[in-house]
């Protein structure tokens, strides 16, 4: 079968591979809409080390083609959303009450691209279909459901991690798709003032549509100073970091009040120098929690996010800036993502 | 000075009293808008035992007339919202991390009507002004701020207590002002489906405006069965009880899923027979938490709720069904509340 | 193979059954030590409805005889502790952050006796061996490990559910094995005063050894009054209910302070009338949480409890009041449990 | 009156000052036992900036000499423990549910030495006596109670912040008094393995008495590698940092498992370079929380810790390595602390 991916670092294109084999707990899914993600680009450029002959992509909705003999909740023909994080639920690592993300070890629950081929293919393998897939019921747009599998789940998780209380003031750094979903989630968790940080014009408009009170930019001065000015000198209760580098991260700590949280869902580079300046952090005693996590795993999570779409609590399709059609348009979508055109937020590719 | 209240049980009218004295930490406030509450009615009819010669009312915004010598944040002339629960912050009872409601003992933080004259007077006393009052800044409608001091704070608290997660399914029993604010809060905490329970036509409309997906009624069959039908046989993740009696409470337990919460902000009568039916509660082991609390105390809480109005996250004035003008119209508003006209949701009285 | 169980209600004895079949994720275990539990007795007498031809028992340590083809962490010959609750980790019900107890529905994770034969047999079946078994390493007494699989896990859970803070005052109602483990756990979570409630002399001694400050009895007056007297009139911060009926439960609510928790790990009968008296519960607004749960599931839980034995944090074998030897002594142990001799705490049966 | 303190940086000695004035909510206390603390030394050497003519000391028990007119719970002659952190409970900063430490702003609740004279004097001022003092009842050794006001409260807080679960594996870095109390608290919260890090021989012995399973040293190789070796290659669930510099902090992050917590109660210097190495922190997504706080404030906290002594849950006097007698021996105790003799853990000075 055909898939789009990387031959080697910086070298992408069509790959020809065997169709994946379905284990007894698993499913084979034929994607109907996929979305390239900036982390696919990151991997293609070697960001997670040398990889070869790997199909990329971890955001898909599709049709179940085949299921293993022990699968009970799904059958061929079902329309499903595929979480980008699919834990091995038989591992010990999921038996805690904080996250299901690190099944057999750190990041173990991230299978697509992480340890096997991704979803930009004629079909792909899903481990443990019952706990890991989610049905898309009639009345929910498949492209809206597609937004849940990573963007919405990760952005919302940044906000859940920040433990936002009713009426609190929140800063969201970054207005890519993750940041935009964090803005929407901050509003959906009851924040009062929501200050977004970003520069891209189209994304700034969407940030306001999702609930940002103000959108500030790195270009207009130090972030922490701008936040202080907008919060009567007090700073934010909670900051969600969904973009920016170590400098923005340091700003985030500084702009946070005591008893606050800096919640990171941003991907740092192994070479980044993340520093905590002692004065910003109350010399170690300032009651500013620093947390970092990524997209939670499993089908129930995604089902609940789809429920939010079904009940009109959010419309994540506002983020979709580009729609491509046909399997052969994957490279074009991928390239758009790689080059980051100014009007880009999130592209999707309809495969049929 | 003149105030409206009860001479004795079932005997209400105008009272003449001395103006209250301002202690060194306290304030005297002249109310500009007040709202009678169903618990004032309850007290007038003897629901909290015999009381005599007591000015009623615990929902007010007003102008600070006088402050004690140690008050720093407020001064005469300030426009303020007055929380209905004003803890003694020097008591030990507030030094826990769950609630500030029981300062020197159970319910100790509820001072107005509870242990001293209420707010339906030419002026009234506020203990510990600095921690207990909240400024109303320009741009916030005073009548909107008035809705925060009990209705919004209590309704939201029911939802906070229920610990609603993103995408969960929530039932709110009761669509009086507390129930309506619980519906709004459930939406603001990220619920997906929100099933409201109530019968009054105008309130049902407002329930939908605040985010109810469906509104069901006692008249259409057993509540738990209706909820089961609306949730594909699974029940609710969380139930907020803001009305109904012991029967509805039993229904609430039954309709809740394992790992769910029944969160009560309803006032039970001392004679009610609240029963937990063992089968409904998993024979004691069903992982269904039963919680009950009332309006949280203090000025910071109310300030944060006012922030939500300032940032347009909610408009609580949709609840105001009747507006009266002039001090002398208090009795009329009170009587409206007592008789519960079918189109009543919440009345307010502008005093000047 | 031979097993001990019930032909029908009130009719126990030896059963002859086929050896269970090992599924691809499962294991077959040959028990080496088992312990009858009061809930086995309960089931034998029809407490969970009519059951027939069912092997009883859900507390065992043993040797792995056979594993399915996908099992990775266990192999024949391994010495293991078998949790009494063994969730189906492929179900959706475990994907929440509160408990793993209700996999496909309420109580779904309780398989032994609940939905299949128990452990009092020559061998028994364990679903999903990898997530559900726990190794017993050299240096840990198997009979100590046996105490973790239900008694210690459930008693500790009562305390975890009560969310005991450093220095709080705790009441534990009941001094059977679950209550004794709750006492030990209360001490291990940092309680100051621990008041135990029970009458059996030997168990009272062990209660003190595990950390009870005082042991009171139903015979010496109303429980809540005794607790008030012992706590300077203030009551308990947290109460763990591990015994007693509806009356003791009502006492528990009454003796709890505002912002407290009543945590139930007791098994109520379907006919019990559990009442919440409004005054005891602050008329619904007293900030007294009522929670109820049972033994948490999975191997990681049990592994951590075994770690506590390995590191000498607790010696659960103090509870073992009777040791039997040989497969044929199971009926005698079972009868002892059924008749509840005065010196009984917990019997174990060594099978070889 | 006479007090011991600093004329200026690095210049300590006896100061003559006016007796403090008692406000209407306050108390004047005559200390009977005090303990110098390493942070007094830190301040004397300019660690918190230039200070002049300041009495040092923030750990004391004593006798109430005078109370303000609104004080109700305390009267002259009462024996009290004085928390080192005494919030202004009338400030807004305490109205949150995470800490009471930052009343009018960061660290605002730390008054002694922080914003006024300390306790090493003939008498000293306590703001808001009712919420901030704690009675020492007969049966509790005053020198044991003295250990609660900072050492025990801070060390325990490090463990509370780390949110230690039953059976988890914990590392405590540093075995000064705070670290020793963190070890004791880890045992009291139900940790299984507790690995302490430190080199001073006497303190290592006490660490084991308080519950350390192993004591490792910087001198025997990289800390994280030693911890990995002692935990079968898996690392710690939680790490409490109660000593060491940025290097140990980086080690702490590295040795923590996903879903773990690094809990800091150590005082960093403004010039320290605290770095989070991306790989150690899962590139920002490793689910390792980093928290930092200091001694919680208020009298209820200290009362609960005193309760733990009363009920024999802990004996903090094992830490007292040196006892001095008489007001005039304060300088000797202070110098001992400054020079850190090898057998020093904690000195106390009996003043009468």
């Amino acid at each position: 079968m055909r898939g789009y991916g990387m031959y080697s670092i910086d070298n992408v294109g069509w790959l020809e591979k065997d169709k994946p084999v379905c284990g007894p707990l698993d499913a084979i899914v034929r994607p109907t809409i996929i979305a390239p993600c900036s982390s696919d680009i990151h991997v293609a450029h070697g960001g997670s080390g040398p990889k070869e002959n790997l199909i990329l992509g971890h955001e898909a909705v599709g049709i179940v083609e085949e299921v293993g003999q022990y699968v009970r909740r799904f059958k061929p023909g079902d329309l499903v959303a595929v979480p980008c994080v699919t834990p091995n639920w038989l591992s010990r690592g999921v038996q805690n009450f904080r996250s299901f993300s690190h099944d057999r070890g750190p990041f173990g629950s991230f299978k697509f691209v992480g340890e096997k081929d991704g979803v930009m293919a004629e079909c792909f393998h899903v481990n443990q279909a019952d706990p890991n897939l989610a049905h898309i019921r009639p009345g929910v747009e498949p492209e809206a459901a597609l937004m849940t599998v990573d963007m919405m789940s990760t952005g919302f998780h940044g906000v859940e991690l920040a433990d936002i209380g009713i009426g609190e003031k929140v800063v969201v750094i970054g207005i890519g798709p993750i940041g935009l979903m964090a803005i929407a989630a901050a509003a959906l968790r009851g924040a009062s003032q929501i200050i977004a940080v970003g520069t891209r014009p189209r994304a700034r408009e969407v940030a306001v549509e999702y609930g940002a009170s103000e959108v500030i930019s790195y270009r207009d001065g130090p972030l922490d100073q701008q936040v202080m000015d907008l919060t009567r000198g007090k700073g934010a209760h909670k900051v969600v970091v969904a973009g920016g580098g170590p400098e923005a991260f340091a700003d985030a700590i500084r702009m946070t009040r005591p008893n606050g949280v800096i919640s990171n869902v941003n991907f740092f580079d192994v070479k980044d120098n993340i520093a905590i300046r002692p004065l910003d952090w109350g010399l170690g005693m300032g009651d500013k929690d620093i947390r970092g996590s990524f997209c939670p795993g499993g089908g129930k999570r995604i089902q609940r996010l789809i429920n939010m779409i079904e009940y009109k609590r959010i419309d994540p399709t506002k983020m979709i800036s580009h729609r491509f059609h046909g399997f052969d348009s994957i490279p074009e979508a991928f390239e758009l993502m790689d080059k980051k055109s100014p009007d880009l937020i999130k592209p999707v590719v309809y495969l049929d």
Side-chain angles (χ1 to χ4, degrees), chain A:
Chain A
M1 66 170 199
R2 200 160 58 128
Y4 189 78
M6 61 193 290
Y7 306 116
S8 59
I9 292 178
D10 291 332
N11 192 0
V12 296
W14 291 108
L15 303 172
E16 191 62 37
K17 290 217 167 185
D18 290 340
K19 203 183 145 173
V21 175
C22 188
L25 305 171
D26 305 339
I28 301 299
V29 172
R30 176 173 57 81
T32 53
I33 324 178
I34 61 97
C37 170
S38 54
S39 47
D40 293 311
I41 308 294
H42 189 83
V43 170
H45 290 308
S48 55
K51 304 216 173 192
E52 287 190 0
N53 195 34
L54 181 75
I55 295 174
L56 293 167
H58 54 272
E59 300 183 27
V61 299
I63 306 287
V64 174
E65 274 206 351
E66 184 186 348
V67 297
Q69 62 176 308
Y70 299 112
V71 173
R72 298 160 44 140
R73 296 169 53 96
F74 298 90
K75 60 181 191 309
D78 285 358
L79 177 64
V80 292
V82 185
C84 75
V85 176
T86 53
N88 173 357
W89 296 92
L90 299 173
S91 74
R92 282 285 167 87
V94 303
Q95 294 185 31
N96 64 69
F97 292 97
R98 286 177 50 98
S99 85
F100 302 134
S101 306
H102 311 279
D103 59 8
R104 289 190 191 280
F107 301 97
S109 307
F110 186 62
K111 313 291 187 192
F112 296 122
V113 181
E115 64 179 52
K116 68 177 178 185
D117 279 324
V119 304
M120 293 182 181
E122 291 175 48
C123 67
F124 59 86
H125 170 266
V126 177
N127 60 303
Q128 299 178 353
D130 275 344
N132 281 331
L133 289 176
H135 281 110
I136 303 175
R137 281 192 284 262
V140 172
E141 280 296 320
E143 72 171 21
L146 176 60
M147 293 297 102
T148 66
V149 303
D150 182 355
M151 301 299 100
M152 192 168 148
S153 187
T154 303
F156 276 49
H157 186 54
V159 164
E160 292 169 300
L161 210 62
D163 197 18
I164 289 172
I166 292 280
E168 290 189 336
K169 304 197 164 189
V170 176
V171 173
V172 177
I173 299 181
I175 53 173
I178 303 289
L180 290 172
M181 287 297 93
I183 291 165
L188 276 166
R189 292 298 282 171
S192 57
Q193 188 178 15
I194 302 172
I195 302 172
V197 178
T199 53
R200 296 156 66 89
R202 178 66 194 125
R204 288 170 70 109
E205 289 169 21
V206 177
V208 171
E209 287 178 44
Y210 279 129
S213 318
E214 296 98 351
V215 187
I216 63 176
S217 164
Y218 307 84
R219 294 173 185 159
D220 298 325
L223 291 182
D224 61 305
Q225 197 47 59
Q226 292 185 67
V227 168
M228 286 296 164
D229 291 348
L230 288 167
T231 55
R232 296 189 177 83
K234 292 191 174 167
H237 292 100
K238 307 289 167 62
V239 179
V240 180
V241 181
E247 195 55 43
F249 193 79
D251 285 343
I253 297 174
R254 203 175 315 115
M255 71 178 65
T256 302
R257 304 182 193 195
N259 299 312
V261 178
I262 300 95
S263 160
N264 183 70
V265 283
N266 195 23
F267 191 97
F268 283 100
D269 195 278
V270 66
K271 283 169 268 170
D272 280 332
N273 179 15
I274 314 174
I276 303 176
R277 291 172 208 154
L279 268 183
D280 297 347
W281 202 46
L283 302 176
M285 302 177 301
D287 284 299
K288 300 183 182 185
D289 275 17
I290 300 172
R291 303 177 186 168
S293 185
F294 69 114
C295 186
K300 182 180 238 178
R301 165 78 175 181
I302 298 306
Q303 197 72 64
R304 289 191 175 182
L305 296 177
I306 291 174
N307 289 348
M308 298 200 70
I309 295 167
E310 185 180 349
Y311 287 97
K312 316 286 181 210
R313 305 299 173 186
I314 185 170
D315 174 8
T317 65
K318 289 182 191 171
M319 292 192 298
I320 301 177
S321 57
H322 297 75
R323 287 176 181 81
F324 294 86
H325 291 272
F327 204 80
D328 290 330
S329 63
I330 292 178
E332 191 183 351
F334 195 85
E335 196 180 336
L336 179 81
M337 201 78 197
D338 195 4
K339 297 201 172 147
K340 281 208 166 191
S341 75
D343 61 340
L344 175 73
I345 300 180
K346 186 76 186 177
V348 301
V349 185
Y350 279 81
L351 298 185
D352 47 5

